[in-house]
Amino acid sequence: MSADQDDCMSRIEPLFKVLHDALHDGMGFYLGKYSKKVLAQHRDRTAANCVYDHAFHNLREQLDGEPGCHFLNRRGLEVLNYFDLALVRLKKVNGAGRAQNLRTKQQRDYDDQKSIPGLPDAAVRLIVGYQPDAAFSFVERVIVSRPLGKTIRWTAQIVVADDASKWFDITPDRLAGTEAVDFDSVRRRS
Amino acid sequence: MSEDRFNADMLKLARDAREFTQADLAKAAGVTQALVSKIENGLIGQLSDDTVEKLALAVKFPPTFFYQKERIVGFPHFHFRKRAKLGIKATAHIGAIINIRRQHITKLLRSYEIVAAKPIPQIDLDETGLTPEKVAERLRAYWMLPRGPVVNVVELIEAAGGIVVLCRFGTTLLDGISFRAEGLPPLFFMNRDVPGDRFRFSLAHELGHMVMHSSPDDDEKMEDQAHRFAAAFLMPAGEIKPYLVAPKLSSLGRVKAYWKVSIKALIKRAYDLKLITDNQYRWLNVQYNKAFKTGEPIPIERETPSRLREMVQYHLNELAYSIADLAGLLSVNANDLERAYIPRPGIRLVVSN
């Protein structure tokens, strides 16, 4: 656990349950409400898009109009801005908390924690993702990740039980001595 | 007792059904193993009522069970390979189950008629020159099945006059046995302790045997044909192909839920239909084994047969048999009869072995 992770997770702590439920319910709605035939015809990309839309809709329903919650859309990049403290983007992620993205400049800037017109500079850019099981039949984990270029600085898992929510550091171990290199995303790209 | 000669085969059958060794039975009945052995080998023809009573109590069958003039049937010819894997004790147990159930069906059918508009056909591959895939296609057409997944394999078979019986085989090495016996409709004895998707595939496999294999042939060849039939019957090439383009485990889960076949079967089907390369097939299997060590997700509900239950209900409701009457007819204890054939609300049906 790093000081940065501790700080970022504490910024969005009040949202843990809403985020967790939005993603779980999004997956549940997708698998439960569409006909089996339609689901069978969906490719993974479509499935992920549908879950995303339902999850994001859930999030909007829960938080739109709540103090400090603003939904922003900058050229297709949809995020929840929470008190200018954190920007939350929903994604499907793998076990390492990594999401697949089209590497546009805007996307790279988001991942590199850089300034993007219309988004508050002070807010940390986070990805809150759902990790499906191998057969895409349920959500295994809800993972918060702090992107850094093409890699991940840290990941945390949100766990909700009996209305109490917690987070755990699940950052994969890095090779000793590479931590600093990982952080230097600018140098990595140059 | 209408039949008065003790049938040693029935004692062996009862013992196998309860998974007793001769020593177990002797101990439970309070007799010597020597006596049990001699009875089973036909060295003692007539037994005292007291001995019969003791044996009956031990194996939990009524004494009338031993006086039935039944001929025991062996495994059908297309199950040699499976039987080799099973072991003697398990084979004997399963053999006892199917024989006892077959006897019940025979007795119930004396007063119950099965009418099937389109019975299960028999198609000889050598005579017709058809492939198993073509036979599956023809059967789907004959039964006028709509395009897409087979909704319920059990219903189809029972509508065609077959009888599907759920059994506890006590092993997962054998999924099902099917055979045609004289004077009886095609019988399918299916292991109830397998997942629903596997149950459907195995039942379709057995259907393939019933349609294509009326005379003995090379066991491996028949198994392969039945497997190909089942795959084509449940996943017709022209219809499944669009669902198997560039398959991944993550997409096959949804395909499984719709087609009601296992992810494993879908991977194999994709390979057989040449939709994936050898390497892709290997890679998918590696991923599969890694991801689903403890079993596949997305459970498919196991189909439930109804014909046998209807036959029992017909005796109880239409022919005014009491439970005791029916137990007497079938030579079983009333408790076993109720547990096997008369489900009560909220109580799980347990099939007596």
Side-chain angles (χ1 to χ4, degrees):
Chain A
M1 192 193 306
S2 65
D4 180 74
Q5 184 183 30
D6 217 11
D7 172 47
C8 292
M9 292 306 286
S10 66
R11 292 186 193 197
I12 61 164
E13 194 161 6
L15 301 177
F16 281 175
K17 183 165 172 16
V18 177
L19 289 166
H20 178 276
D21 290 354
L23 290 166
H24 274 271
D25 293 349
M27 177 70 116
F29 184 90
Y30 172 66
L31 293 175
K33 297 292 183 186
Y34 289 62
S35 81
K36 287 188 168 66
K37 184 173 184 177
V38 168
L39 290 176
Q41 291 173 358
H42 282 177
R43 295 184 187 190
D44 284 353
R45 190 179 50 190
T46 314
N49 283 340
C50 289
V51 172
Y52 171 84
D53 280 348
H54 296 308
F56 203 78
H57 178 83
N58 292 340
L59 205 59
R60 270 187 183 280
E61 275 193 339
Q62 290 295 313
L63 297 178
D64 216 1
E66 290 294 314
C69 294
H70 299 282
F71 287 90
L72 309 174
N73 187 330
R74 291 293 167 263
R75 291 191 299 166
L77 178 66
E78 284 185 310
V79 291
L80 162 65
N81 173 19
Y82 188 60
F83 282 109
D84 286 357
L85 293 171
L87 297 178
V88 170
R89 187 172 186 212
L90 301 186
K91 290 293 288 182
K92 184 183 98 170
V93 297
N94 64 15
R98 195 165 291 152
Q100 285 192 326
N101 287 307
L102 211 61
R103 303 289 295 164
T104 60
K105 179 176 185 311
Q106 181 173 261
Q107 181 61 52
R108 287 202 307 270
D109 288 345
Y110 186 89
D111 289 348
D112 287 345
Q113 309 287 328
K114 285 183 175 173
S115 179
I116 297 174
L119 300 184
D121 287 344
V124 63
R125 282 90 165 113
L126 299 175
I127 289 173
V128 177
Y130 65 97
Q131 180 202 346
D133 68 315
F136 204 88
S137 64
F138 63 93
V139 174
E140 273 194 353
R141 298 193 291 189
V142 170
I143 295 176
V144 182
S145 54
R146 169 93 133 88
L148 189 77
K150 284 184 179 177
T151 185
I152 300 289
R153 184 168 175 180
W154 51 255
T155 51
Q157 180 183 357
I158 295 177
V159 177
V160 173
D162 301 329
D163 281 346
S165 47
K166 292 179 182 174
W167 67 272
F168 300 95
D169 177 29
I170 55 165
T171 310
D173 287 339
R174 290 193 167 92
L175 290 174
T178 63
E179 296 89 344
V181 180
D182 270 356
F183 289 122
D184 193 356
S185 63
V186 177
R187 195 177 72 190
R188 279 165 61 88
R189 194 157 292 124
S190 61
Chain B
M1 235 172 279
S2 59
E3 299 147 306
D4 55 3
R5 183 162 177 77
F6 189 91
N7 185 345
D9 285 346
M10 299 308 292
L11 178 62
K12 171 83 168 59
L13 208 58
R15 183 167 68 74
D16 286 339
R18 302 299 182 201
E19 296 183 275
F20 281 174
T21 62
Q22 285 186 345
D24 292 336
L25 174 57
K27 192 177 171 193
V31 299
T32 63
Q33 188 185 342
L35 178 69
V36 174
S37 174
K38 284 176 184 172
I39 297 170
E40 287 190 3
N41 286 309
L43 300 177
I44 301 176
Q46 285 304 322
L47 300 175
S48 69
D49 286 350
D50 181 48
T51 304
V52 173
E53 191 69 37
K54 282 180 183 172
L55 293 170
L57 271 175
V59 292
K60 297 186 185 128
F61 280 95
T64 52
F65 183 83
F66 302 122
Y67 293 91
Q68 299 175 97
K69 290 177 182 167
E70 295 290 345
R71 191 175 61 82
I72 311 300
V73 298
F75 270 52
H77 52 264
F78 33 79
H79 287 297
F80 287 137
R81 197 154 50 110
K82 286 178 187 167
R83 193 177 58 175
K85 281 186 196 164
L86 273 174
I88 294 168
K89 198 171 178 187
T91 307
H93 176 61
I94 294 166
I97 294 168
I98 64 173
N99 270 287
I100 291 169
R101 292 309 201 96
R102 181 185 56 84
Q103 290 164 13
H104 293 176
I105 291 165
T106 305
K107 288 175 179 173
L108 291 168
L109 282 174
R110 286 178 196 156
S111 308
Y112 182 94
E113 192 182 356
I114 294 176
V115 180
K118 291 189 175 180
I120 298 168
Q122 286 183 281
I123 301 171
D124 190 295
L125 297 184
D126 293 332
E127 274 180 22
T128 58
L130 294 174
T131 61
E133 289 80 8
K134 207 71 192 164
V135 171
E137 188 186 321
R138 292 221 176 156
L139 187 60
R140 282 184 69 111
Y142 170 62
W143 281 343
M144 298 171 73
L145 301 189
R147 286 175 63 83
V150 174
V151 177
N152 192 313
V153 185
V154 167
E155 273 182 17
L156 279 181
I157 288 175
E158 293 199 325
I163 297 179
V164 180
V165 187
L166 293 183
C167 302
R168 285 229 151 83
F169 288 160
T171 173
T172 50
L173 284 176
L174 184 72
D175 285 2
I177 295 177
S178 57
F179 58 88
R180 290 176 189 266
E182 198 179 339
L184 290 176
L187 303 178
F188 300 79
F189 296 90
M190 301 302 298
N191 191 344
R192 62 179 300 140
D193 296 322
V194 297
D197 46 348
R198 189 166 138 187
F199 179 90
R200 277 166 54 89
F201 197 94
S202 299
L203 189 54
H205 176 103
E206 295 303 320
L207 176 63
H209 281 310
M210 289 295 90
V211 173
M212 300 182 295
H213 303 138
S214 52
S215 54
D217 200 342
D218 175 63
D219 187 54
E220 205 155 328
K221 183 177 154 193
M222 287 190 292
E223 286 298 299
D224 178 60
Q225 288 170 339
H227 188 87
R228 286 166 56 193
F229 171 92
F233 187 74
L234 294 175
M235 302 170 275
E239 296 167 42
I240 194 80
K241 268 184 183 174
Y243 294 87
L244 297 178
V245 177
K248 294 180 190 170
L249 291 191
S250 48
S251 59
L252 290 177
R254 295 187 295 278
V255 180
K256 171 184 177 173
Y258 177 53
W259 282 88
K260 300 205 266 188
V261 290
S262 67
I263 292 174
K264 189 85 175 166
L266 288 166
I267 293 172
K268 178 76 166 62
R269 190 71 175 139
Y271 181 63
D272 289 343
L273 294 174
K274 301 192 187 326
L275 299 172
I276 51 176
T277 64
D278 289 354
N279 281 342
Q280 286 171 321
Y281 180 58
R282 269 194 296 275
W283 173 237
L284 272 173
N285 275 309
V286 168
Q287 284 186 306
Y288 177 95
N289 293 333
K290 200 172 149 193
F292 306 133
K293 279 179 201 156
T294 54
E296 285 188 13
I298 312 148
I300 303 296
E301 195 179 341
R302 195 198 6 82
E303 295 172 5
T304 307
S306 60
R307 176 72 73 186
L308 194 49
R309 214 168 50 208
E310 279 169 21
M311 288 159 65
V312 169
Q313 288 302 326
Y314 181 79
H315 279 72
L316 294 173
N317 301 333
E318 304 296 324
L319 304 181
Y321 274 65
S322 66
I323 296 287
D325 292 337
L326 203 51
L329 172 72
L330 304 183
S331 294
V332 292
N333 287 332
N335 284 345
D336 279 348
L337 174 82
E338 287 188 276
R339 280 195 300 139
Y341 297 119
I342 306 168
R344 281 165 289 180
I347 294 176
R348 206 168 148 227
L349 178 69
V350 177
V351 177
S352 165
N353 289 340

